[in-house]
């Protein structure tokens, strides 16, 4: 199949590369042209240096897959694409958009006859090699049309239509809320170990490594944690600041509206807010985990 990929950051570049390696045709565009040029040189993708050029290079009916920052940037690109595309074309939003914005965008595009699919995407930096997890929202007949794309991008059995339009981003939002809580638990546990009377002699690299061998808390995050501890068990080069991209806060806000208690996820959000002022070991653990799975920037310890 042929697809246009817009946004060649960590996730978009990985998705484009997997599609190309599976024999699909990719027309690639990024706001800064250097990333487009690099992908073209490394993979043989077709480059485009404006949205209009990208649309012109796609065969009808066109498919455009976005990996852009949530909010205004996504809005601007979809608004411009709406003027360039035609009825029967399809926009796929693979970014971390808030589901309420997804519903509005889909409705506006539907009035023009343009199809819309939302794809919550998880897998981080390793997704390009391992395959991604895709949580897909959209009309079943439209989603099924793109099965070859999902199979190329996802890990084996790693994609699922989870519901109608908006459901993909909703499920990804909650997924990220759970992720916040899991990382916070790892951070707090290691903080206790590090502060304990055994702390001077505990080898946290050994501890986190053995946790990955048959323990109940074995996980991909645990794998990354063991890797980080092997590199720097005291995280002496890592600052304590933990940023967030919104999904955890959205999960808590949605839970409040639904009357569903989410104390663990909510606490993790408040810890991230406090991390701008506090310097403790658990914050540094969470910061390095975000860096390991998603390439998120860490603050160097001052």
């Amino acid at each position: 199949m042929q697809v246009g990929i817009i946004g060649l950051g960590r996730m978009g570049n990985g998705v484009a590369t997997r599609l190309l390696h599976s024999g699909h045709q990719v027309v690639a565009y990024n706001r800064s042209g250097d990333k487009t040029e690099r992908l073209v040189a490394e993979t043989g993708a077709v480059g485009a240096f404006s949205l209009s050029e990208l649309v012109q290079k796609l065969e009808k009916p066109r498919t455009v897959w976005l990996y852009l920052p949530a909010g205004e940037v996504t809005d601007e690109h979809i608004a411009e694409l709406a003027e360039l595309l035609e009825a029967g074309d399809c926009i796929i939003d693979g970014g971390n958009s808030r589901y309420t914005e997804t519903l509005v965008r889909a409705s506006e595009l539907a009035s023009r006859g343009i199809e819309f699919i939302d794809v919550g995407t998880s897998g981080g930096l390793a997704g390009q090699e391992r395959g991604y997890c895709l949580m897909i929202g959209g009309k079943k007949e439209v989603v099924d049309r793109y099965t070859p794309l999902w199979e190329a991008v996802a890990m084996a059995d790693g994609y699922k239509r989870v519901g109608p339009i908006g459901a993909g981003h909703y499920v990804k939002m909650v997924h990220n809320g759970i992720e916040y809580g899991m990382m916070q638990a790892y951070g707090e546990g290691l903080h206790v170990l590090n502060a304990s009377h055994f702390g001077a002699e505990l080898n946290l690299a050994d501890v986190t490594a053995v946790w990955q061998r048959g323990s109940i808390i074995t996980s991909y995050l645990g794998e990354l944690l063991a890797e980080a501890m092997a590199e720097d068990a005291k995280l002496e080069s890592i600052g304590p600041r933990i940023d967030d991209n919104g999904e955890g806060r959205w999960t808590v806000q949605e839970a409040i509206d639904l009357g569903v208690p989410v104390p663990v996820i909510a606490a993790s959000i408040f810890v991230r807010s406090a991390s701008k002022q506090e310097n403790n070991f658990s914050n540094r653990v969470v910061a390095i985990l975000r860096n390991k799975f998603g390439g998120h920037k860490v603050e160097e310890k001052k």
Side-chain angles (χ1 to χ4, degrees):
M1 299 182 75
Q2 186 193 47
V3 59
I5 299 288
I6 297 176
L8 301 176
R10 293 182 293 266
M11 198 71 80
N13 186 80
V15 167
T17 300
R18 287 188 65 83
L19 288 169
L20 287 159
H21 286 171
S22 296
H24 297 286
Q25 296 178 313
V26 170
V27 181
Y29 165 77
N30 193 73
R31 287 176 292 170
S32 56
D34 59 318
K35 291 184 177 180
T36 304
E37 292 170 348
R38 188 178 309 121
L39 184 69
V40 169
E42 292 176 353
T43 65
V46 176
F49 296 90
S50 68
L51 293 185
S52 60
E53 182 183 359
L54 178 135
V55 170
Q56 290 169 9
K57 289 183 174 181
L58 292 172
E59 300 171 1
K60 298 179 183 180
R62 308 174 186 91
T63 303
V64 182
W65 196 339
L66 283 67
Y67 276 100
L68 296 168
E72 187 176 341
V73 173
T74 297
D75 272 333
E76 290 172 352
H77 281 71
I78 289 179
E80 186 172 347
L81 284 168
E83 298 297 326
L84 296 168
L85 297 175
E86 301 173 358
D89 294 341
C90 182
I91 294 177
I92 304 169
D93 182 6
N96 284 328
S97 293
R98 193 167 188 173
Y99 83 97
T100 51
E101 296 176 349
T102 294
L103 294 174
V104 172
R105 292 167 185 151
S107 177
E108 292 173 349
L109 291 168
S111 68
R112 297 170 176 263
I114 299 172
E115 301 289 355
F116 190 88
I117 300 173
D118 53 295
V119 179
T121 308
S122 182
L125 297 174
Q128 180 173 328
E129 181 67 28
R130 295 157 57 115
Y132 296 93
C133 171
L134 304 180
M135 297 148 265
I136 307 169
K139 301 174 186 174
K140 186 178 185 305
E141 65 273 17
V142 179
V143 171
D144 288 349
R145 188 186 308 161
Y146 293 103
T147 295
L149 299 186
W150 317 139
E151 290 180 341
V153 170
M155 184 179 286
D157 298 321
Y159 72 90
K160 184 68 66 175
R161 177 187 176 270
V162 295
I165 292 171
H169 283 154
Y170 193 92
V171 171
K172 179 57 162 51
M173 174 188 74
V174 176
H175 162 285
N176 281 23
I178 293 169
E179 178 185 286
Y180 278 39
M182 291 175 66
M183 288 194 290
Q184 187 62 33
Y186 275 122
E188 292 176 10
L190 289 194
H191 195 170
V192 171
L193 292 175
N194 189 59
S196 74
H197 59 281
F198 296 109
E201 296 191 34
L202 279 177
N203 184 322
L204 296 183
D206 287 347
V207 170
T208 51
V210 79
W211 281 351
Q212 287 299 108
R213 299 294 182 267
S215 87
I216 298 301
I217 60 171
T218 298
S219 71
Y220 177 52
L221 284 175
E223 179 184 322
L224 295 177
L225 181 59
E227 180 182 309
M229 292 294 106
E231 294 170 357
D232 179 7
K234 295 298 182 181
L235 301 180
E236 293 177 346
S237 64
I238 305 299
R241 181 186 178 96
I242 315 166
D243 291 321
D244 77 88
N245 295 333
E247 298 91 339
R249 282 182 281 118
W250 299 342
T251 302
V252 173
Q253 290 164 357
E254 183 72 8
I256 291 170
D257 291 342
L258 293 171
V260 175
V262 288
V264 172
I265 298 173
S268 75
I269 299 297
F270 291 124
V271 169
R272 292 194 179 201
S273 298
S275 75
K276 281 68 173 178
Q277 302 169 355
E278 296 178 358
N279 183 1
N280 64 47
F281 194 77
S282 64
N283 290 352
R284 300 205 299 275
V285 171
V286 177
I288 195 60
L289 273 175
R290 294 182 76 244
N291 174 261
K292 284 289 183 183
F293 75 73
H296 301 289
K297 185 178 180 180
V298 294
E299 179 183 58
E300 292 186 4
K301 188 176 179 181
K302 299 177 182 177

